[in-house]
Amino acid sequence: MPKRNDLCPCGSGKKYKKCCMNRSSSQAMVVQDELNQLETELLYMAFTRYQKQLTNWVQSYHSVYPEADKTVTETLSSMLLVWLIFTKPIQEDGTTIFDVFYEGKKRKIKRPKTAFLLETWKHTRPAVLEIKQQTAERVYRSVDLLTGQQIDHTLPTEHEKTARPGSTVIGFPANSDAHMSFIGPVISHLPEKTAAIKQKVASFVNETEDAFLQKWPQLLSALLNSEQAPTVAPDQFRWHTDKQKETAEALINGLRLDRCPPEIEMLALEKWNQFCQEQNPAIRKPAAYAAAMEYALQTIAPISATQKALAKKYGVSPSTISARSAEIVTVLKETATA
């Protein structure tokens, strides 16, 4: 961008400040206003057209953390909704809610720059940022603790008291006209909490992008809870057979590979034990039922994994996971309504 006293790039021979500077500023404001409106429309479309799916998924989060502070969980629930909009497929071909919104809007946007920036939102990803410096009013230069990428971004005014070098910011930065801004809610913490946040983030930084995106709810859960839940073990439950207990052990080991918090582990064991008490399944391969239980767990807990990924992790076939998980879900639903 040219400085105030540089020659204007339009070729008029005048200084930038006496030529196109004000016009550029005005155009930038128009683009930003259009992007703000599109964000509002995106969230409205998601919450109305896909209300049932989104509500059921987020309610599973609250069922795992019923004692968490209401204000905190409301904000984090909103973050999960944004994550779902950009990440969770709603069709077999991988189409997301944002994809549906973009396809419906792209031909209606008249301003090329607005259209271009909206298209880049497809790559919006969650971030945990550490602020390095403030470069202008409400503009900050930060490093994403998950990717190491440096970005310049704005922050909503309500975060000015906590935004300083060393502070952390959690949210979904997306491209706007001059600097990145956030879609949906933002959480910021003073520098004294940064060390603890970095420690929780550290175990996720070596993940591939796809793996990390699937594990965002787990990281969000870890960042939410300041107290570590007690460790759980299959020995705490009564099992009909050794194979059922072996399945429980395989399930816990699988969840720990994905760094699921202890609250998720406990829920998984409770539901697997509940299924075993109702059905007393005869198990030949514990890994098959462990994979199926983890897949079924997605209906009641904030975790996300595809049958393909679980098949690879547990060494079983996707078709086995599909059949066994359907059986588990049916029994758990019947038990819940009995």
Side-chain angles (χ1 to χ4, degrees), residues 215-261:
K215 295 174 185 176
W216 173 246
Q218 286 95 304
L219 175 55
L220 206 53
S221 300
L223 295 174
L224 165 66
N225 290 277
S226 57
E227 297 182 3
Q228 185 72 12
T231 302
V232 296
D235 288 336
Q236 296 172 235
F237 297 83
R238 181 176 63 85
W239 307 100
H240 292 297
T241 67
D242 289 340
K243 288 290 187 181
Q244 292 174 8
K245 183 179 177 183
E246 286 180 37
T247 302
E249 291 168 346
L251 174 61
I252 290 300
N253 290 335
L255 292 172
R256 287 176 181 171
L257 281 175
D258 289 336
R259 302 173 186 86
C260 287

Side-chain angles (χ1 to χ4, degrees), residues 190-233:
L190 290 167
E192 48 260 38
K193 292 191 176 182
T194 298
I197 289 173
K198 282 184 173 181
Q199 186 176 9
K200 293 177 179 180
V201 167
S203 61
F204 288 80
V205 295
N206 293 323
E207 300 286 355
T208 64
E209 182 183 18
D210 287 344
F212 158 67
L213 285 175
Q214 294 298 322
K215 295 174 185 176
W216 173 246
Q218 286 95 304
L219 175 55
L220 206 53
S221 300
L223 295 174
L224 165 66
N225 290 277
S226 57
E227 297 182 3
Q228 185 72 12
T231 302
V232 296

Side-chain angles (χ1 to χ4, degrees), residues 130-133 135 139-143 150-153:
E130 181 182 3
I131 295 176
K132 295 301 183 181
Q133 67 180 111
T135 58
V139 179
Y140 304 86
R141 181 160 294 160
S142 297
V143 171
Q150 178 178 285
I151 69 170
D152 290 339
H153 61 88

Side-chain angles (χ1 to χ4, degrees), residues 83-94:
W83 174 78
L84 289 165
I85 288 169
F86 285 99
T87 306
K88 197 167 181 67
I90 55 170
Q91 297 176 13
E92 289 296 326
D93 62 0

Side-chain angles (χ1 to χ4, degrees), residues 275-326:
F275 174 75
C276 289
Q277 298 307 315
E278 291 291 327
Q279 292 294 103
N280 191 18
I283 298 171
R284 289 189 300 167
K285 189 173 183 180
Y289 269 100
M293 184 64 236
E294 184 172 339
Y295 189 73
L297 197 63
Q298 295 179 86
T299 63
I300 53 174
I303 62 173
S304 180
T306 63
Q307 290 182 5
K308 182 179 179 180
L310 291 172
K312 182 178 180 181
K313 182 166 74 170
Y314 287 95
V316 298
S317 69
S319 59
T320 298
I321 294 174
S322 178
R324 294 285 183 267
S325 62

